[in-house]
Amino acid sequence: MKSTIDLLEERISAAMAQATGQAGCAAVVRLATDPKFGDYQANGVMALAKQIKTNPRKLAESVVAQLDLSDLCEPPEVAGPGFINLRLKPDYVARELLRIAEKDGERLGIPAAATPQTVVVDFSSPNVAKEMHVGHLRSTIIGDCLCRLLEFEGHTVIRQNHIGDWGTQFGRVLLGLWHMCMGQQRQHRYYESGLKELRSTAKDEEGLPALCRHIRDRHEEDWRADSLEAEGDGKVLFKPFLERLDRLPTDQMWQDFLVAYQFVSALEEALANLELRMPTRRAGTINYALLSRHVTTMVQELDRPGNEQEKLAWEKIRALSLRHCSEIYAMLGIDFDESEIRGESFYNDKLPAVVHDLRSAGLAVESDGAVCVFPPGFKTKEGEPLPFIVQKSDGAFLYATTDLAALRYRVNELRADRIVYVTDARQIQHFQMLFKVAEMAGWDTRDGEKVELVHVTFGSVLGIDGKPLKTRSGENIKLKELLDEAIERAKAVVEEKNPELSTEAKSQIARAVGIGAVKYADYSNSRTSDYVFSFDKMLAMDGNTAPYMQYAYARVRSIERKAQTKGVDIASELASVTTLNLSEPSELDLAKHLVRYAEAVEAAIADYRPNYLTAYLYELAQKFSGFYNSCPVLDAPPASRPTRLLLCGQTARTIGHGLSKLLGI
């Protein structure tokens, strides 16, 4: 069944064709901006009039003369320079509401996609060995919402969590683990005190080199001591440490690791201008500052004999990171299974072919030793062609190479008809160039059909100072800590308003309200805009917030409980309903809004904008409040009560469906 807007556009387009003899006429029907103009407004006539060079108002009058909407609307009215105003008939609204409530109850009037697609959605994408922070919030929850919307529309959705589990940082990751191991052996977390010392002596020209030499000497001593079959093979201490890693408490393990990782990063920065040598298993002695690069090379050759320990360390830290991420996903009500986690490492063996095929096609060329594609239309600040680099001069591959490999895999192996990337707006140029290179290479086409490539961008989460949300020390706020605080703040509200509840009930409600508040606050803002993060605003019981919407849902549902105490059998009264009595203005207003749910959902899907859905739900809650305040329900006269009970039930179903099924709240 088509939505009201679809029906109106179809008929008005046909009338435009009849009035002009022009093919391909397109009526543009939108909600009226002011109720005094009606419910909908068609304004496609003016564009057509300009095209055929005629008076738009006269053309609108000719179109109306050809138009039969008697089963849907009151007689159309021409306004202004050529608008057509449309007001729905109460009996049409009543029929639609009955159809949605009775015959289309599960879908709530939302038509399934006429041509279902396979849609790959790339979202969340945290980096292994780093905690998820507030910057991951929007990609994660917007991506999940889009998946829910697309799935409900009838598409086959393949979630892809493109985690950063490869690259230059993994040498530092493994060194961080190694220092953790040695700290346990020494029964002293020396890397924690070492981090403080490195930071405090960063500008001390004499103290810093002395500190670095001390750290290097201790490192070498521990490295030589951790030898069984060959010098520095790590089989005495490091290998047993790795094997028991996943049995240690995640939170403590994670916090220790992050400090050790920061220690390695600070040490590398301190070593930048120092010439200190360090022995290795495979490369003799090397500059200590290059040790993490050496380890990275070993990580990137995981299957090479002799690198078994590095492979085990990489697997363990990847598993530990995903364990940390899965806890946050669980808090947010999001579930990734193993097949949906496709990290950079998954595409590693596919990267050489990307470069080879681009070169063979004459699209990639060498430039300053690197291999680049120069897609047309992209320039540097100096006006020179902007390179899309797929291989560095030292032979290393880049994000661009991995993204091209992932795109090819999704098109050819996952058989995607559409690929949606959900990232922050700072990556706009990267994805524009990625899509252009894929088009140049023909990689966005399968079986002669173009695959739709979509970049869904979002703005930043800001603090009350209008700057990106950070801690006082300038670090990114950890996402888990932010969500925990939301739950704690919600719990304080629950304690205040419902102190008589059990401890378990308070915790359940606090979690639902706290997490829901964070998600809804994000969804209710335009995804392309920055927004200010405020616990006070998002936990408010009034305004367009999750607590207000959750309360509105509970308020509607409470009518069912009251009905039982008054001996009103809702099911039997609704079973006999064949017509609706929408004589009161607030009844008709609420009914019109209920039958528009499909339009709101379709608009949210078409533009990838959850805020269209939250705006609809908030307006629905407000319209229900107006209806409830002016129209008694359980005490209504027999001629009105069934209609009002149905309006209540459908309002609850719609709010519940929007919040839970589509927004994941």
Side-chain angles (χ1 to χ4, degrees):
M1 184 69 182
K2 297 176 181 177
S3 68
T4 301
I5 276 187
D6 289 338
L7 288 172
L8 292 172
E9 287 187 338
E10 185 179 273
R11 294 195 193 179
I12 296 172
S13 295
M16 289 165 66
Q18 280 185 299
T20 62
Q22 298 284 319
C25 296
V28 181
V29 178
R30 296 290 182 266
L31 283 172
T33 55
D34 189 327
K36 71 182 181 183
F37 298 130
D39 299 311
Y40 296 93
Q41 191 172 72
N43 56 14
V45 171
M46 290 179 287
L48 179 60
K50 184 176 182 180
Q51 179 185 333
I52 63 175
K53 298 179 180 179
T54 190
N55 183 287
R57 186 176 177 91
K58 288 185 177 179
L59 178 57
E61 291 169 350
S62 300
V63 170
V64 167
Q66 300 288 338
L67 192 58
D68 182 10
L69 296 174
S70 57
D71 57 330
L72 279 74
C73 301
E74 305 293 352
E77 299 175 355
V78 176
F83 296 109
I84 300 175
N85 292 337
L86 307 161
R87 192 180 302 276
L88 298 179
K89 284 184 173 179
D91 61 342
Y92 168 75
V93 176
R95 290 197 309 273
E96 273 295 280
L97 186 57
L98 274 175
R99 178 185 68 80
I100 292 169
E102 296 177 0
K103 299 178 183 178
D104 201 13
E106 290 185 5
R107 296 205 59 84
L108 296 169
I110 302 168
T115 309
Q117 295 181 320
T118 295
V119 185
V120 171
V121 182
D122 178 324
F123 68 105
S124 192
S125 307
N127 287 318
V128 164
K130 294 182 180 179
E131 281 194 282
M132 291 182 73
H133 54 76
V134 68
H136 294 110
L137 175 65
R138 302 205 76 182
S139 175
T140 302
I141 64 174
I142 292 173
D144 177 64
C145 179
L146 297 182
C147 289
R148 290 169 177 269
L149 287 164
L150 291 163
E151 284 173 334
F152 188 74
E153 194 178 31
H155 302 292
T156 298
V157 176
I158 302 175
R159 292 164 168 80
Q160 294 285 273
N161 192 353
H162 190 82
I163 62 172
D165 64 352
W166 207 244
T168 56
Q169 83 272 22
F170 271 88
R172 293 190 294 273
V173 168
L174 267 63
L175 285 174
L177 281 177
W178 188 85
H179 283 293
M180 279 183 61
C181 171
M182 295 303 124
Q184 288 187 10
Q185 178 64 21
R186 290 174 175 269
Q187 296 184 329
H188 170 52
R189 297 169 78 235
Y190 65 80
Y191 46 86
E192 185 171 30
S193 57
L195 177 61
K196 293 177 182 177
E197 290 176 311
L198 285 167
R199 287 173 173 171
S200 65
T201 59
K203 296 181 180 179
D204 186 340
E205 295 182 0
E206 294 183 3
L208 186 60
L211 176 60
C212 290
R213 282 193 294 271
H214 171 69
I215 293 172
R216 190 279 314 272
D217 292 345
R218 180 175 54 202
H219 190 151
E220 183 175 350
E221 178 185 337
D222 288 341
W223 180 79
R224 292 189 187 281
D226 192 13
S227 306
L228 182 63
E229 298 171 359
E231 191 171 51
D233 63 14
K235 292 184 178 180
V236 175
L237 301 172
F238 193 43
K239 185 177 180 183
F241 168 80
L242 292 173
E243 289 172 345
R244 67 176 183 270
L245 194 63
D246 53 6
R247 298 194 296 272
L248 298 176
T250 302
D251 285 347
Q252 185 58 52
M253 179 70 205
W254 190 248
Q255 295 308 317
D256 287 352
F257 165 74
L258 290 174
V259 174
Y261 179 82
Q262 290 170 352
F263 167 72
V264 173
S265 298
L267 179 60
E268 282 199 353
E269 186 176 342
L271 291 166
N273 298 315
L274 299 178
E275 180 60 37
L276 296 176
R277 309 295 293 180
M278 181 72 192
T280 67
R281 293 203 321 265
R282 282 175 36 187
T285 63
I286 64 172
N287 188 329
Y288 195 26
L290 301 178
L291 185 58
S292 71
R293 295 189 190 181
H294 170 69
V295 177
T296 294
T297 301
M298 299 176 73
V299 174
Q300 294 181 341
E301 298 173 348
L302 291 180
D303 296 324
R304 178 173 173 173
N307 288 353
E308 293 82 7
Q309 193 176 106
E310 283 70 27
K311 181 176 183 179
L312 177 62
W314 176 80
E315 290 172 344
K316 291 289 185 176
I317 196 63
R318 185 180 187 274
L320 178 67
S321 298
L322 290 176
R323 206 161 78 201
H324 160 73
C325 292
S326 67
E327 292 178 0
I328 294 174
Y329 292 143
M331 294 178 76
L332 291 169
I334 297 169
D335 181 35
F336 283 109
D337 65 41
E338 187 60 36
S339 68
E340 294 169 334
I341 297 174
R342 285 280 183 263
E344 294 168 350
S345 62
F346 178 80
Y347 304 102
N348 189 49
D349 62 351
K350 301 171 175 59
L351 304 184
V354 169
V355 177
H356 174 271
D357 292 350
L358 288 172
R359 298 189 79 158
S360 297
L363 297 174
V365 296
E366 283 197 17
S367 177
D368 295 328
V371 180
C372 312
V373 181
F374 290 90
F378 296 93
K379 303 287 185 180
T380 65
K381 291 180 180 179
E382 294 74 29
E384 298 296 321
L386 184 65
F388 194 65
I389 306 173
V390 293
Q391 190 170 25
K392 293 165 64 176
S393 57
D394 62 4
F397 301 110
L398 296 97
Y399 290 126
T401 331
T402 303
D403 283 344
L404 284 168
L407 189 151
R408 294 176 84 181
Y409 174 81
R410 293 163 180 177
V411 169
N412 298 317
E413 303 300 324
L414 298 182
R415 311 290 292 175
D417 301 303
R418 189 185 342 171
I419 307 175
V420 179
Y421 298 83
V422 185
T423 80
D424 68 77
R426 291 172 297 179
Q427 299 186 49
I428 286 177
Q429 187 179 74
H430 169 76
F431 280 98
Q432 288 175 338
M433 297 181 77
L434 175 73
F435 295 170
K436 188 62 180 179
V437 171
E439 180 186 23
M440 293 165 65
W443 295 347
D444 63 344
T445 302
R446 187 187 65 255
D447 302 330
E449 295 291 331
K450 280 276 190 180
V451 173
E452 185 182 0
L453 305 177
V454 182
H455 186 204
V456 174
T457 63
F458 53 82
S460 298
V461 182
L462 307 179
I464 56 175
D465 59 358
K467 298 177 181 178
L469 191 62
K470 304 274 187 180
T471 64
R472 289 184 179 179
S473 62
E475 297 176 349
N476 284 318
I477 291 179
K478 298 170 184 176
L479 186 50
K480 186 175 187 304
E481 291 180 358
L482 182 141
L483 297 177
D484 284 340
E485 184 175 352
I487 294 171
E488 285 304 309
R489 285 176 176 252
K491 193 170 185 178
V493 176
V494 176
E495 291 277 8
E496 178 187 344
K497 295 185 176 295
N498 301 95
E500 75 286 353
L501 292 174
S502 68
T503 301
E504 182 180 358
K506 289 175 183 175
S507 296
Q508 289 177 345
I509 294 171
R511 190 179 183 91
V513 172
I515 300 298
V518 172
K519 295 175 74 171
Y520 191 93
D522 194 297
Y523 293 148
S524 62
N525 286 277
S526 171
R527 62 168 171 78
T528 55
S529 302
D530 299 340
Y531 76 92
V532 175
F533 190 95
S534 167
F535 278 122
D536 290 340
K537 288 183 178 179
M538 64 179 58
L539 287 168
M541 292 299 296
D542 54 3
N544 192 13
T545 67
Y548 174 81
M549 292 306 306
Q550 290 165 319
Y551 174 73
Y553 176 78
R555 184 187 185 193
V556 184
R557 282 298 186 204
S558 71
I559 295 170
E560 296 177 2
R561 294 192 296 274
K562 292 177 183 176
Q564 294 176 356
T565 65
K566 292 196 171 191
V568 177
D569 187 340
I570 295 177
S572 64
E573 290 206 20
L574 293 182
S576 59
V577 172
T578 56
T579 59
L580 296 180
N581 178 9
L582 300 175
S583 56
E584 291 292 331
S586 61
E587 291 174 326
L588 181 59
D589 192 37
L590 177 58
K592 285 180 178 179
H593 199 71
L594 285 168
V595 301
R596 280 192 45 237
Y597 185 47
E599 296 168 8
V601 173
E602 288 177 338
I605 294 172
D607 287 352
Y608 305 97
R609 291 184 183 272
N611 64 298
Y612 291 173
L613 179 55
T614 56
Y616 169 87
L617 293 173
Y618 178 55
E619 190 175 352
L620 174 59
Q622 290 183 306
K623 288 183 182 295
F624 176 80
S625 182
F627 154 77
Y628 191 68
N629 290 334
S630 61
C631 296
V633 177
L634 298 178
D635 296 328
S640 298
R641 191 162 70 185
T643 292
R644 295 177 185 178
L645 287 172
L646 186 141
L647 286 169
C648 292
Q650 198 61 20
T651 298
R653 279 192 290 274
T654 304
I655 294 176
H657 184 270
L659 289 179
S660 180
K661 182 76 174 179
L662 301 184
L663 298 178
I665 295 174

